[in-house]
């Protein structure tokens, strides 16, 4: 009977895997059309300074407006795009659109514009031999200053493949900035800091969540702030949701943060509204105003 049960569990498992494979195949095919149909768009989440919450830079985050499913999250479709290779085209589109937008905001708002635009790059893109060329082409075509661009890569993406490290170095030579995203969640975080020429550490939400807890929960965020300072890297705290976290992060030495407390990913129009206000009165625009008090 145990064998029978085991067998049926196995059959159920296979059926579930099949269903998921079919679902992925369909999503993948639809994704191909989505790019052509203009159903992908970008939101921009501010990275803000601590303690005042002023917009410092932006991170471009892709969204898919699906005709029937509604808004599909990148957590759902990026893995599908990585598997069927569409991420190369989608990634190039995201890069071009984010750069075009940044150049427009620079020319319109001048010093009130954010200092940089961050764009996520997946492991698959780093393995594409044409990636460096794509970045160079986009910079030239859009007129983007390479220093205004920050590419966010994950440590696993670089660690898993030797060529990826070469690619990262070549991109760095174009004058583009590099951030290690979700820092601390991979298996080679600290080792990578010696070999990979990065400018920014994005400390994962996992560690930010612990900063208001007991010492053993805040230890990693504390150490990463010290490491960043010692290596002269900017540290960005990701996924800050409460004022208590922001205060503690500031005390620990974090001067940049990103999270729902300050602003969720916003449509371009909303960023413009805030930039226009800032250009007008010179004020900082993300709540809350002062955490230092
Ligand atoms: P990520 O690069 O680490 O981006 C941060 C994610 O955390 C975003 O989710 C953002 O909306 C979310 N977030 C920001 N603040 C908070 C907060 O306070 N609390 C919580 N719970 N979440 C917060 P999103 O936009 O759904 O993106 C998920 C992931 O999908 C990104 O993680 C990134 O790895 C990937 N992704 C998004 N856009 C792109 C893209 O254009 N290309 C590639 N390759 N990957 C992308
Ligand atoms: Mg990111
Ligand atoms: Mg991140
Ligand atoms: Mg993260």
């Amino acid at each position: 009977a145990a064998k029978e049960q085991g067998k049926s569990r196995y059959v159920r498992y296979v059926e579930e895997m099949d269903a998921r494979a079919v679902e992925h195949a369909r999503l993948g095919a639809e994704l191909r059309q989505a790019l052509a149909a203009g159903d992908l768009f970008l939101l921009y989440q501010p990275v803000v300074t601590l303690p005042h919450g002023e917009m410092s830079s932006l991170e471009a985050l892709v969204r898919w407006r699906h005709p029937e499913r509604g808004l599909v999250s990148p957590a759902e479709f990026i893995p599908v795009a990585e598997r069927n290779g569409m991420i190369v085209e989608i990634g190039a589109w995201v890069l071009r659109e984010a750069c075009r937008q940044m150049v427009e905001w620079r020319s319109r708002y001048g010093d009130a514009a954010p200092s940089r635009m961050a764009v996520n790059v997946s492991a698959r893109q780093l393995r594409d031999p044409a990636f460096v060329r794509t970045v160079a082409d986009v910079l030239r075509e859009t007129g983007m200053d390479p220093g205004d661009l920050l590419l966010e890569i994950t440590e696993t993406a670089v660690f898993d493949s030797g060529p990826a490290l070469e690619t990262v170095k070549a991109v760095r030579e174009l004058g583009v900035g590099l951030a290690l995203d979700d820092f601390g969640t991979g298996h080679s975080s600290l080792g990578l800091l010696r070999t990979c020429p990065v400018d920014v550490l994005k400390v994962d939400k996992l560690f930010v969540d612990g900063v208001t807890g007991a010492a053993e929960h805040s230890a990693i965020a504390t150490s990463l702030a010290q490491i960043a300072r010692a290596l002269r890297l900017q540290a960005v705290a990701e996924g800050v949701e409460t004022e208590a976290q922001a205060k503690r992060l500031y005390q620990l030495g974090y001067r940049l943060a990103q999270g729902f407390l300050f602003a969720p990913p916003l449509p371009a129009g909303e960023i413009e509204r805030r930039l226009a206000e800032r250009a007008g009165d010179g004020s900082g625009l993300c709540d809350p105003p002062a955490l230092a008090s």
Side-chain angles (χ1 to χ4, degrees):
K3 198 173 173 188
E4 273 302 297
Q5 255 182 355
K7 193 172 173 186
S8 66
R9 237 197 329 261
Y10 175 72
V11 169
R12 232 180 301 139
Y13 172 76
V14 169
E15 281 169 357
E16 272 168 29
M17 290 309 283
D18 278 353
R20 202 178 314 165
V22 168
E23 171 71 4
H24 274 176
R26 177 167 31 198
L27 215 56
E30 288 174 346
L31 201 47
R32 232 174 269 285
Q33 292 160 14
L35 186 58
D39 291 341
L40 298 185
F41 65 100
L42 299 182
L43 293 179
Y44 301 90
Q45 187 177 30
V47 172
V48 307
T49 59
L50 294 179
H52 299 298
E54 286 181 37
M55 192 190 299
S56 168
S57 60
L58 295 170
E59 177 177 4
L61 293 158
V62 69
R63 295 289 182 272
W64 178 8
R65 201 181 288 106
H66 191 285
E68 289 113 41
R69 295 168 205 250
L71 215 57
V72 186
S73 127
E76 209 174 319
F77 71 85
I78 293 289
V80 173
E82 278 174 359
R83 233 164 301 156
N84 76 1
M86 272 296 287
I87 190 66
V88 170
E89 271 173 79
I90 290 173
W93 177 82
V94 169
L95 184 66
R96 185 168 283 109
E97 176 58 15
C99 289
R100 183 202 64 72
Q101 184 64 81
M102 181 67 187
V103 168
E104 184 188 316
W105 284 339
R106 265 241 172 286
S107 74
R108 248 207 282 175
Y109 303 104
D111 288 346
S115 63
R116 291 212 264 203
M117 177 68 79
V119 174
N120 291 284
V121 174
S122 81
R124 184 66 162 16
Q125 287 173 274
L126 287 182
R127 276 189 268 119
D128 172 19
F131 181 71
V132 181
R133 178 86 145 285
T134 300
V135 174
D137 286 350
V138 167
L139 290 172
R140 188 168 27 80
E141 287 161 22
T142 58
M144 176 88 152
D145 180 340
D148 285 356
L149 179 62
L150 185 72
L151 293 181
E152 296 194 2
I153 58 180
T154 60
E155 44 193 299
T156 37
V158 184
F159 187 73
D160 289 350
S161 129
L165 187 56
E166 294 313 305
T167 302
V168 158
K169 287 178 176 164
V171 163
R172 193 75 192 71
E173 264 156 36
L174 295 173
V176 171
L178 279 178
L180 280 177
D181 206 353
D182 306 333
F183 191 76
T185 60
H187 43 238
S188 66
S189 312
L190 298 182
L192 202 58
L193 290 181
R194 287 185 304 134
T195 50
C196 193
V198 296
D199 313 289
V200 177
L201 293 189
K202 299 197 75 172
V203 175
D204 197 75
K205 181 177 191 330
L206 189 66
F207 310 118
V208 169
D209 285 344
V211 290
T212 50
E216 64 262 36
H217 295 293
S218 59
I220 296 180
T222 305
S223 313
L224 291 180
Q226 290 164 352
I227 289 168
R229 193 174 324 130
L231 298 177
R232 296 172 203 287
L233 306 175
Q234 288 187 336
V236 178
E238 285 194 291
V240 181
E241 293 182 344
T242 70
E243 202 148 331
Q245 287 172 345
K247 272 195 176 138
R248 186 76 188 112
L249 287 162
Y250 179 68
Q251 289 167 353
L252 294 179
Y254 287 87
R255 293 297 175 264
L256 293 168
Q258 186 175 7
F260 295 164
L261 173 67
F262 307 102
L266 298 166
E270 180 58 25
I271 297 289
E272 282 168 17
R273 200 184 60 71
R274 297 179 184 213
L275 291 176
E277 253 175 67
R278 173 154 74 178
D281 65 10
S283 69
L285 301 162
C286 289
D287 301 327
L291 295 159
S293 53

